[in-house]
Amino acid sequence: SGMTEFQVEKIELGPGRHTITWSYKSNPNQLDNFPPLPSGRIGSAFIDDVYFVPGGALGLPAVPTGSPIASIGSTTTSPSVVAANTPSPNVASVDEFFDGFETGDLTALDWSLSGEQEWMVDETKPFEGIFSAHIRTDDISTPDGFAQLDLGVDLATAAFVQFYFYAPVSMPFESFNLQVDGQFLRGLSTEDETWAEGGAFLSSGLHTISWRLEKNPGGAPEAALENLKPPAYRLGEAWLDNVALLGATPSFLETWESGDFTANPWMLSGVGDWRITDSDAFEGANSATIKSDDIEANSGISELSIDIITEQGGTLTFRILPSVSGPFEEGNVMLDGIVVASYSSPMSDWIAQEIAIQPGKRKVTFQLNKNSGGIGAEQIGFIPSPAGRKGQMWLDRIQFLATVEP
């Protein structure tokens, strides 16, 4: 009431189906006569920037940076962290694990089956290697039956379970779901030939993670299903591979004094690799850098990335020196694939930047994008380069501070 600025509201949702409603009601008290209207009232409500964060996947819009020192972040609700279960399953305490099913069976971890015992490990469609776990709707004998692959874990600290799945399934024929502690977390399906990544953030304690294929979950008459044409992509099968438990990321400071990218779990991708240099540094002797000339083609992208896994979120700060200019190249900082900072004008001084890291698993990427407009080599050669442009970007003093509960 009487607000003149946008207010930030957060709603935390547990597993399951929810309906969120924004309601506006005129004269809720059914008054015949109104008191004097307050100053500034316009009789309207405005809603903007509504985000949904499904437990580990975050969609954020690009946030422009208008000053050399900017705070880049979002005011979104945090993804639900699955709370610990009561101690019921016999599970071992684990820190991290990985199972690509390369043993050819379900013996590498404490796997168990519930419902119809039809999950198998075979060579029909692995994500990597030779084997993956596999389930077929046709192998479930009862019309409304299910086959479930369960994994019990006892976590000393919060962690993120990550996996890859290929699931060309379709309602009402079947559903493929991820469950934690018997609660539905999200549906899993794919509509092309591409595997997808899934995951869930778990609190410390005992949990049971389940992958459940259910046949005819809506209970439709079999005759109706027989007369219903399925979508072209549907195979009525699901595959699971590369199940991993990833520990939370501790606070760290990266100043590249190791002379390489091994001090923290950095990932290099694209063309024209980033490298460590002593040509310029914010502090100490080294920094990480990438040149436009390192990308041999007329256009291309080079990326330096790191995954950050955190239960409470945190803050990532860094120093960047972008001597770049469009249309030749531009520098980008991305959070979960969304650009949150962009640089297209040459600068001569280091810039301090800050990114708010939301709870869950996040990927921070530092990117050099050469000739993003795809201008031909002959044409771009006639465009004058602005003063001060070196076609290079330097990165230094990257610090992550994890939020700790008081």
Side-chain angles (χ1 to χ4, degrees):
S1 61
M3 295 179 181
T4 58
E5 297 180 354
F6 275 89
Q7 304 295 309
V8 177
E9 299 291 342
K10 300 179 181 180
I11 304 172
E12 295 192 6
L13 304 175
R17 183 181 179 87
H18 301 277
T19 299
I20 305 169
T21 303
W22 288 264
S23 176
Y24 178 90
K25 188 173 184 180
S26 177
N27 191 14
N29 296 319
Q30 299 182 345
L31 301 177
D32 294 327
N33 298 302
F34 292 96
L37 300 180
S39 175
R41 174 188 178 273
I42 59 175
S44 300
F46 302 88
I47 298 174
D48 201 1
D49 287 359
V50 180
Y51 306 119
F52 171 58
V53 186
L58 178 64
L60 297 177
V63 180
T65 58
S67 60
I69 300 179
S71 176
I72 308 165
S74 66
T75 52
T76 66
T77 181
S78 302
S80 298
V81 177
V82 181
N85 203 350
T86 54
S88 54
N90 280 322
V91 294
S93 179
V94 294
D95 294 322
E96 293 188 354
F97 59 67
F98 175 84
D99 192 356
F101 302 103
E102 292 308 296
T103 58
D105 53 28
L106 295 172
T107 60
L109 298 175
D110 293 326
W111 296 103
S112 61
L113 301 176
S114 52
E116 298 194 20
Q117 313 285 293
E118 298 297 340
W119 276 90
M120 67 192 91
V121 174
D122 59 28
E123 305 176 30
T124 54
K125 194 175 181 66
F127 174 69
E128 286 182 339
I130 300 174
F131 297 100
S132 63
H134 180 205
I135 183 65
R136 303 187 304 179
T137 301
D138 288 345
D139 291 335
I140 300 175
S141 59
T142 55
D144 57 350
F146 71 92
Q148 187 165 298
L149 180 62
D150 300 316
L151 180 61
V153 295
D154 184 2
L155 305 180
T157 61
F160 186 84
V161 60
Q162 175 182 283
F163 57 90
Y164 291 86
F165 66 94
Y166 176 61
V169 298
S170 176
M171 287 285 287
F173 305 98
E174 67 274 307
S175 65
F176 185 49
N177 301 319
L178 173 67
Q179 297 185 359
V180 176
D181 300 331
Q183 299 295 315
F184 171 87
L185 205 60
R186 62 181 59 87
L188 305 172
S189 64
T190 54
E191 296 184 5
D192 53 30
E193 293 291 328
T194 305
W195 284 72
E197 179 182 325
F201 204 92
L202 307 175
S203 67
S204 59
L206 285 162
H207 297 284
T208 300
I209 311 160
S210 304
W211 291 265
R212 178 187 180 105
L213 182 72
E214 190 167 356
K215 184 175 183 178
N216 187 13
E222 290 190 41
L225 291 182
E226 291 174 358
N227 295 325
L228 185 63
K229 183 178 180 180
Y233 66 83
R234 178 184 176 265
L235 298 178
E237 303 179 62
W239 288 263
L240 178 70
D241 207 355
N242 285 14
V243 179
L245 186 74
L246 308 176
T249 303
S251 298
F252 66 83
L253 174 64
E254 177 67 85
T255 58
W256 314 112
E257 294 309 301
S258 64
D260 52 30
F261 296 99
T262 60
N264 289 292
W266 295 101
M267 296 170 285
L268 301 173
S269 60
V271 293
D273 285 344
W274 285 71
R275 54 190 172 83
I276 305 301
T277 181
D278 58 3
S279 63
D280 204 337
F282 176 76
E283 66 180 26
N286 297 328
S287 65
T289 189
I290 181 67
K291 288 183 178 180
S292 185
D293 289 344
D294 293 335
I295 301 173
E296 295 181 0
N298 185 48
S299 61
I301 290 174
S302 183
E303 294 181 337
L304 175 65
S305 303
I306 190 168
D307 287 336
I308 297 178
I309 301 171
T310 169
E311 182 177 12
Q312 301 296 327
T315 302
L316 184 79
T317 59
F318 58 92
R319 302 298 190 275
I320 191 166
L321 177 55
S323 183
V324 296
S325 178
F328 305 99
E329 68 277 311
E330 62 185 26
N332 296 311
V333 181
M334 307 169 71
L335 181 61
D336 295 334
I338 305 298
V339 175
V340 294
S342 186
Y343 314 95
S344 57
S345 299
M347 296 186 180
S348 57
D349 294 325
W350 288 84
I351 305 169
Q353 301 271 238
E354 178 179 294
I355 300 176
I357 302 296
Q358 301 294 327
K361 180 173 179 276
R362 308 283 170 236
K363 180 182 291 293
V364 179
T365 301
F366 301 93
Q367 179 193 85
L368 183 72
N369 190 346
K370 179 180 179 180
N371 186 16
S372 61
I375 302 173
E378 293 184 2
Q379 290 83 355
I380 203 169
F382 289 103
I383 301 175
S385 178
R389 170 185 171 263
K390 298 180 180 179
Q392 188 171 359
M393 190 162 65
W394 291 264
L395 184 65
D396 203 0
R397 204 182 195 285
I398 303 171
Q399 184 173 28
F400 172 66
L401 294 177
T403 300
V404 179
E405 284 187 336

